[in-house]
């Protein structure tokens, strides 16, 4: 079988409905070169994307006042997208979408609406009628950013039994039990220090740990995770910024872990960097290793694909690739930059 020369990926943007909103892009796996293959228009602000586990459907969140989810059929060879379905999320500014590991349910969170929702994924590839919805209420200590509940992400756990909602406004990770019929039932709440602003969460690929990027206090929190009872226990908290950085306005954004589970990365918007941590597989704890400039402004999102880390610099209007060193996870700039208007999400094709 011929070895793949390119890795396809999708890029979500803050485009208008008339512009191309989702780009189909390709990464050359031999050197990190990037190119645009195609894309689709007709969707406003498709800011977050999630591929179905079987690789045949892509779901996109429309981050608008009247939040929506879109479903597309994926051509695995070319990456071409064909519209399948769209559904309202009953909340403003849908900012995150994810799919359960078994592919049965599509989950979304509405930042301004303060709610999280569940849709069944139909056999035809579309979205069934909304099966579950929960509404968050309350506020935090930061009146400028935490005047209300702001669910920034919803992430199913590896078992599919639970879903974690990171609420930036409440300084909480709310753990829900995801029922067989697609309902969200409150299970427990994990509090973070006031003013943390939890944004995104990733689970370790093989060990019982979870890692959270806190947007407002620029920290990464390490948790042990008891999958049996859906319990997160805080182990460690580290800054995402170098010591002594005080004159830069910064918000932590995305968080990713390599498939081997040894290297964790977080992006900084303002400092415009990616920070690398080494993961102790026995304890889950992190050791800060280095910061790398993203060569573009506001790295809102990034992803790891085929031995590279690919960054979407929202205000730099570009996508930049870095080679990931297999021994220590350090990043080396490839020199390749792809011009894309307001890129805000990178999602690889299987």
């Amino acid at each position: 079988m011929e070895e793949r020369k390119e890795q396809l990926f999708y890029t979500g943007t803050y485009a208008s409905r008339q512009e191309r909103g989702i780009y189909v892009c390709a990464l050359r796996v031999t050197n990190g070169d990037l190119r645009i293959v195609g894309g689709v228009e007709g969707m406003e602000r498709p800011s977050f994307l999630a591929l179905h586990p079987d690789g045949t459907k892509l779901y996109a969140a429309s981050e608008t006042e009247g939040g929506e989810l879109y479903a597309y059929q994926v051509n695995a060879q070319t990456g071409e997208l064909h519209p399948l379905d769209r559904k309202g999320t009953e909340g403003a500014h849908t900012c995150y979408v994810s799919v359960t590991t078994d592919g049965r349910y599509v989950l979304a969170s509405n930042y301004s609406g303060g709610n999280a929702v569940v849709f069944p994924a139909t056999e035809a590839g579309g979205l069934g009628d909304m099966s579950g919805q929960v509404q968050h209420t309350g506020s935090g200590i930061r009146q400028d950013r935490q005047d209300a509940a702001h669910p920034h992400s919803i992430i199913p756990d590896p078992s599919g039994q639970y879903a974690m909602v990171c609420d930036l406004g409440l300084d909480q990770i709310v753990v829900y039990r995801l029922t067989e019929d697609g309902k969200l039932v409150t299970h427990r709440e994990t509090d973070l220090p006031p003013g943390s602003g939890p944004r995104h969460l990733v689970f370790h690929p093989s060990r019982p740990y979870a890692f959270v990027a806190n947007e407002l206090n620029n920290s990464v929190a390490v948790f042990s995770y008891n999958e049996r009872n859906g319990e997160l226990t805080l182990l460690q908290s580290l800054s995402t910024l170098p010591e002594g950085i005080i004159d830069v306005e910064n918000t932590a954004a995305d968080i990713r872990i390599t498939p081997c589970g040894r290297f964790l990365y977080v992006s900084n918007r303002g400092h415009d960097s990616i920070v690398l941590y080494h993961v102790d597989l026995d304890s889950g704890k992190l050791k800060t290793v280095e910061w790398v400039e993203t060569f573009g402004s506001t790295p809102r999102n990034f992803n790891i694909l085929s031995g590279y880390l690919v960054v979407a610099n929202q205000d730099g209007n570009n996508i930049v690739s870095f080679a990931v060193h297999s021994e220590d996870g350090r990043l080396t700039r490839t020199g390749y930059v792809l011009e894309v208007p307001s890129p805000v999400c990178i999602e690889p094709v299987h």
Side-chain angles (χ1 to χ4, degrees):
M1 184 176 173
E2 188 181 354
E3 193 172 342
R4 181 167 58 178
K5 292 186 174 66
E6 287 189 316
Q7 162 78 62
L8 294 174
F9 64 93
Y10 297 109
T11 301
T13 70
Y14 275 139
S16 70
R17 194 178 297 277
Q18 290 73 39
E19 301 170 298
R20 178 180 283 181
I22 302 174
Y23 287 76
V24 185
C25 305
L27 166 84
R28 181 168 285 275
V29 299
T30 53
N31 61 5
D33 195 4
L34 301 160
R35 69 185 182 98
I36 295 171
V37 178
V40 291
E41 52 280 313
M43 179 185 182
E44 189 177 358
R45 294 169 67 89
S47 69
F48 206 85
L49 312 173
L51 195 69
H52 191 280
D54 69 10
T56 66
K57 283 90 65 178
L58 182 77
Y59 303 100
S62 175
E63 195 174 325
T64 55
E65 279 288 342
E68 289 185 298
L69 281 184
Y70 285 63
Y72 295 90
Q73 186 75 40
V74 172
N75 181 316
Q77 267 65 51
T78 65
E80 190 177 354
L81 297 173
H82 299 282
L84 285 173
D85 204 358
R86 58 191 281 197
K87 285 278 197 302
T89 59
E90 298 184 17
H93 300 113
T94 311
C95 63
Y96 199 94
V97 58
S98 57
V99 189
T100 54
T101 51
D102 61 7
R104 291 179 61 199
Y105 291 106
V106 181
L107 318 176
S109 60
N110 294 309
Y111 183 84
S112 300
N115 60 331
V117 296
V118 183
F119 294 90
T122 68
E123 284 190 25
L127 298 162
D129 292 336
M130 186 186 292
S131 59
Q133 179 176 178
V134 288
Q135 181 70 45
H136 288 192
T137 58
S139 59
I141 63 167
R142 286 270 303 263
Q143 281 308 300
D144 59 332
R145 296 291 311 277
Q146 296 181 309
D147 59 320
H150 292 305
H152 213 309
S153 58
I154 179 167
I155 299 100
D157 85 333
S159 74
Q161 296 181 84
Y162 300 102
M164 315 285 154
V165 177
C166 293
D167 196 308
L168 180 145
L170 304 183
D171 290 321
Q172 283 185 336
I173 302 165
V174 186
V175 182
Y176 290 96
R177 188 165 53 81
L178 183 60
T179 66
E180 269 296 308
D181 57 351
K183 300 273 193 299
L184 292 171
V185 178
T186 304
H187 182 67
R188 64 174 79 238
E189 294 160 351
T190 302
D191 294 321
L192 286 102
S196 294
R199 177 183 174 94
H200 285 181
L201 176 153
V202 292
F203 286 99
H204 193 278
S206 60
R207 304 294 174 98
Y209 310 125
F211 308 90
V212 175
N214 292 307
E215 176 173 335
L216 301 184
N217 71 355
N218 299 305
S219 71
V220 58
V222 182
F223 295 88
S224 63
Y225 181 56
N226 185 324
E227 193 176 273
R228 192 168 51 82
N229 61 14
E231 184 176 14
L232 293 163
T233 303
L234 184 64
L235 298 175
Q236 185 189 26
S237 183
L238 285 174
S239 176
T240 65
L241 292 171
E243 195 174 344
I245 295 291
I246 54 174
D247 57 347
V248 174
E249 281 192 28
N250 189 78
T251 50
D254 204 18
I255 184 167
R256 304 281 181 178
I257 192 165
T258 50
C260 69
R262 294 187 295 137
F263 314 124
L264 183 84
Y265 305 89
V266 177
S267 63
N268 286 301
R269 296 172 296 179
H271 190 248
D272 293 337
S273 64
I274 302 284
V275 54
L276 160 66
Y277 304 95
H278 283 178
V279 182
D280 185 311
L281 296 180
D282 294 323
S283 69
K285 291 189 176 180
L286 303 177
K287 178 186 175 185
T288 310
V289 177
E290 68 168 352
W291 286 263
V292 173
E293 181 188 346
T294 62
F295 297 95
S297 178
T298 320
R300 185 183 181 91
N301 186 266
F302 64 95
N303 218 323
I304 298 160
L305 45 156
S306 298
Y308 293 87
L309 188 147
V310 178
V311 186
N313 289 306
Q314 177 185 342
D315 296 326
N317 298 309
N318 67 19
I319 297 171
V320 180
S321 65
F322 297 83
V324 178
H325 195 283
S326 60
E327 290 301 310
D328 58 15
R330 289 179 181 267
L331 303 177
T332 303
R333 189 185 182 198
T334 65
Y336 293 106
V337 178
L338 187 64
E339 302 297 324
V340 173
S342 62
V344 291
C345 189
I346 305 290
E347 179 71 356
V349 180
H350 294 336

